[in-house]
């Protein structure tokens, strides 16, 4: 059941919400942006420190390679740390962290800046320079944002690989980005177990030769192999004189960056087996992320904000690390699993730290919902003021539970639609927006979204079609790293001149958008974005597999689950043991999240005459649905 069928109510903001909201004139802002997009974003950009002002807000001359704040120079880290340290916020808490085992650490802006400066000095002493790529592969510990910020501070380009990925996924991303340095930790705690991250790094590095140095943070203390001359403990390096200036200060000059200089690469799944590195920049990304976070989550100086995502995904980049720091906010980060040791862990953290704004994913809500209301009801959740969700459409049951049981019917839910590529919220409510449960509501001011049919014409109101974005926005991806052609063909070719999101959606008579899901070969599993082709290539890398096809099928908690069909090579016999081995193989190569729910061994796969696997046919068959047009199906 979709929400459109499920809950027809409209939830209007309460007088308290309206009264305290930073933005209560959304329509006026949207109007201003419509009339003069450049002026609108220029006003927002003035909130930040620029070393050199921009000469032009938006350069469209080489579209779709748009440029923002052209000629301006800044550094996002200067705006995240340096300027706060020079202000009264110096001693304000920037980051509160709790480990799964109960460890706690807090960082004021001063303390966070000190760590970042020292680590930036360490990286410089290792020869990391402006423009160099650094791969970061860590658990959810404070050193992860510290490493990201240290890279950005000296102009290096970070590429964070999600700690739930495994050997081949990591290897592919290190190699593609040509990183010389990898920053990792010995392990991290997740669900009461240790994830052996350093061991995975060691295995990945056996497959690639570019990496000169590995920096290892000690988190769990389990034994790891340290290769002499290549691997260094983070804590040892931070104790060396190189971590400080010549006179022993824990300071480091922040590199001046052109507005359009790269800030980070983030790999995401697309339609081919090779993950693509989405490239974001210092200037526009900074302006887009901070403005959206402030207006949508209504972050106030005194708030405590918690985004439960992993920093290894775009949500973590934009709304755990950069966004909150840009706003000088206090944010909370938790290392482990939501239900460890009991399903009240998250709720206990909200109570313990007095969280005001909480942002999570529908899959997590569904996962915790099944344990019942008694767990959250044991805790005082009255500090909450605003809730958020992201990653996939939220179903009516989960919406209701989140709203009633967690928010006690007081907290509006910001259902934010956006992507790795967009960098910032694109279709989203603001606290003042009347909510329709399950709809991400309306485009952010300055964003123009529409729903197109196959031929690029807007569909009728209420019809399903392809979601497109018609105007550039500052936090947009600039390209796919090393593959500008793929950038153009993937996003700007299908409907010339407009950005194709890969999603299908519907727009209702009030102009509210209802996201339906991906229309390409991307599967959203528990909100994580995975490519069918990547899973298939992991399967085919096993000696028993000749061919493989992966599809997503609906799953109660995960949203979608991966189902795979494989053809065995001659000489291999189907067996339960082999199926289990194949599942584990995908887990080993890609990571536990990519492990297929079910693998079926088949004699053949439905293909077009040109040999392309017809995944939609597999999907329809598995669900007992009509198979649709089969005219291209090979006999
Ligand atoms: C989906 C995550 C419905 C969508 C920030 C999009 C959503 C993909 C929502 C991007 C939402 C994200 N409602 N679907 N509020 N937010 N999606 O790159 O399919 O990991 O294209 O970025 O997630 O996933 P990504």
């Amino acid at each position: 059941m979709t929400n459109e069928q499920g809950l027809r109510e409209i939830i209007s903001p309460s007088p308290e919400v309206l009264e305290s909201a930073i933005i209560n004139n959304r329509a006026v802002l949207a109007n201003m942006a419509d009339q003069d997009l450049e002026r609108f974003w220029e006003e927002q950009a003035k909130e930040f420190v620029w070393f050199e002002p921009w000469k032009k807000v938006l350069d469209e001359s080489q579209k779709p390679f748009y440029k923002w704040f052209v000629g301006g120079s800044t550094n996002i880290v200067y705006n995240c740390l340096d300027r706060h340290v020079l202000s009264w916020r110096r001693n304000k808490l920037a980051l509160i962290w709790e480990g799964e085992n109960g460890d706690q650490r807090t960082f004021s802006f001063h303390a966070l800046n000190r760590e970042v400066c020292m680590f930036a000095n360490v990286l410089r002493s290792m020869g990391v320079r402006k423009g160099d790529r650094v791969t970061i592969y860590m658990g959810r510990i404070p050193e992860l944002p510290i490493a990201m910020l240290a890279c950005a501070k000296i102009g290096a380009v970070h590429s964070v690989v999600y700690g739930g990925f495994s050997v081949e996924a990591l290897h592919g991303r290190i190699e593609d980005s040509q990183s010389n340095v990898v920053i990792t930790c010995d392990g991290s705690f997740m669900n009461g177990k240790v994830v052996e991250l350093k061991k995975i790094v060691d295995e990945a590095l056996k497959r690639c030769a570019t990496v000169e140095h590995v920096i290892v943070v000690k988190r769990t203390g389990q034994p790891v192999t340290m290769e002499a001359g290549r691997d260094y403990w983070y804590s040892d390096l931070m104790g060396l004189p190189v971590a400080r200036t010549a006179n022993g200060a824990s300071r480091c000059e922040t590199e001046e960056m052109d507005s359009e200089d790269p800030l980070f690469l983030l790999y995401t799944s697309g339609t081919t087996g090779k993950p693509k590195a989405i490239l974001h920049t210092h200037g526009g990304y900074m302006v887009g992320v901070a403005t959206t976070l402030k207006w949508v989550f209504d972050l106030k100086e005194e708030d405590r904000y918690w985004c439960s995502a992993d920093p290894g995904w775009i949500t973590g980049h934009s709304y755990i690390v950069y966004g909150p720091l840009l706003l000088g906010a206090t944010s909370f980060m938790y290392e482990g699993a939501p239900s460890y040791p009991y399903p009240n862990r998250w709720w206990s953290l909200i109570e313990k730290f007095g969280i005001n704004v909480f942002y999570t994913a529908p899959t997590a809500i569904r996962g915790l919902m099944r344990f019942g209301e008694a767990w959250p009801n044991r805790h005082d959740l009255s500090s909450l003021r605003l809730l958020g969700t992201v990653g996939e459409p939220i179903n009516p049951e989960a919406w209701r539970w989140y709203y009633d049981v967690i928010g006690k019917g007081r907290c509006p839910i910001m259902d934010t639609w956006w992507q790795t590529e967009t960098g910032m919220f694109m279709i989203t409510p603001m606290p003042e927006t009347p909510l329709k449960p399950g709809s991400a509501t309306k485009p952010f001011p300055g964003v123009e979204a529409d729903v197109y049919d196959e031929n690029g014409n807007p569909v009728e109101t209420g019809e399903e079609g392809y979601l497109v974005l018609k105007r550039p926005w500052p936090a947009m991806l600039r390209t796919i790293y090393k593959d500008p052609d793929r950038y153009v063909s993937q996003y700007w070719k299908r409907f010339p001149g407009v950005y194709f999101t890969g999603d299908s959606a519907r727009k209702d008579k009030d102009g509210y958008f209802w996201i339906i899901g991906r229309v390409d070969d991307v599967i959203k599993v528990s909100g994580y974005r995975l490519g069918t082709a990547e899973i298939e290539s992991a399967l085919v890398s096993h000696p028993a597999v000749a061919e493989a096809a992966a599809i997503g099928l609906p799953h109660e908690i995960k949203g979608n689950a991966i189902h795979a069909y494989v053809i065995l090579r001659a000489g291999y016999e189907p067996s339960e043991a082999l199926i289990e081995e194949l599942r584990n193989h995908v887990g080993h190569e890609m990571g536990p999240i990519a492990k297929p729910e079910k693998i079926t061994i088949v004699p053949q796969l439905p293909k077009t005459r040109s040999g392309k696997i017809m995944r939609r046919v597999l999907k329809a068959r598995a669900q007992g649905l009509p198979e649709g047009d089969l005219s291209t199906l090979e006999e």
Side-chain angles (χ1 to χ4, degrees), residues 65 67 219 229 324 395 616:
F65 297 93
K67 292 194 178 90
R219 164 64 187 132
N395 52 305
R616 76 173 166 82

Side-chain angles (χ1 to χ4, degrees), residues 32-103:
M32 273 168 52
D34 278 351
Q35 272 160 29
D36 193 342
L37 187 70
E38 293 189 36
R39 176 136 170 248
F40 171 79
W41 282 115
E42 176 161 52
E43 286 305 314
Q44 314 321 320
K46 288 181 186 159
E47 297 279 314
F48 303 95
V49 177
W50 296 79
F51 305 127
E52 207 47 69
W54 53 90
K55 298 196 175 59
K56 193 165 174 26
V57 178
L58 171 63
D59 176 359
E60 304 192 74
S61 61
Q62 293 161 59
K63 63 186 176 192
F65 297 93
Y66 295 93
K67 292 194 178 90
W68 284 86
F69 308 112
V70 184
S73 81
T74 183
N75 186 312
I76 195 168
V77 177
Y78 193 93
N79 285 287
C80 285
L81 295 173
D82 304 45
R83 70 167 170 155
H84 299 313
V85 170
L86 297 171
S87 80
W88 67 268
R89 289 198 194 90
R90 181 182 176 83
N91 296 326
K92 179 182 169 179
L93 283 187
L95 181 66
I96 306 172
W97 174 84
E98 183 165 305
E100 195 182 71
N101 62 354
D103 290 353

Side-chain angles (χ1 to χ4, degrees), residues 390-393 415-420 503 515 518 524 529:
V390 62
E392 50 176 328
D415 180 349
T416 60
W417 177 87
W418 58 296
Q419 309 180 299
T420 306
D503 278 0
I515 311 298
R518 301 289 309 190
K524 277 275 176 157
R529 180 166 161 180

Side-chain angles (χ1 to χ4, degrees), residues 268 313-315 359 362 389-394 414-422 427 438-440 467 501-504 514-518 522 524 527-529:
T268 191
W313 298 92
I314 192 67
T315 309
Y359 186 31
T389 91
V390 62
E392 50 176 328
I394 180 163
M414 302 297 111
D415 180 349
T416 60
W417 177 87
W418 58 296
Q419 309 180 299
T420 306
E421 291 87 343
T422 70
I427 302 180
S439 166
L467 181 66
T501 62
D503 278 0
S504 65
W514 299 79
I515 311 298
I516 297 161
R518 301 289 309 190
V522 171
K524 277 275 176 157
Y528 295 127
R529 180 166 161 180

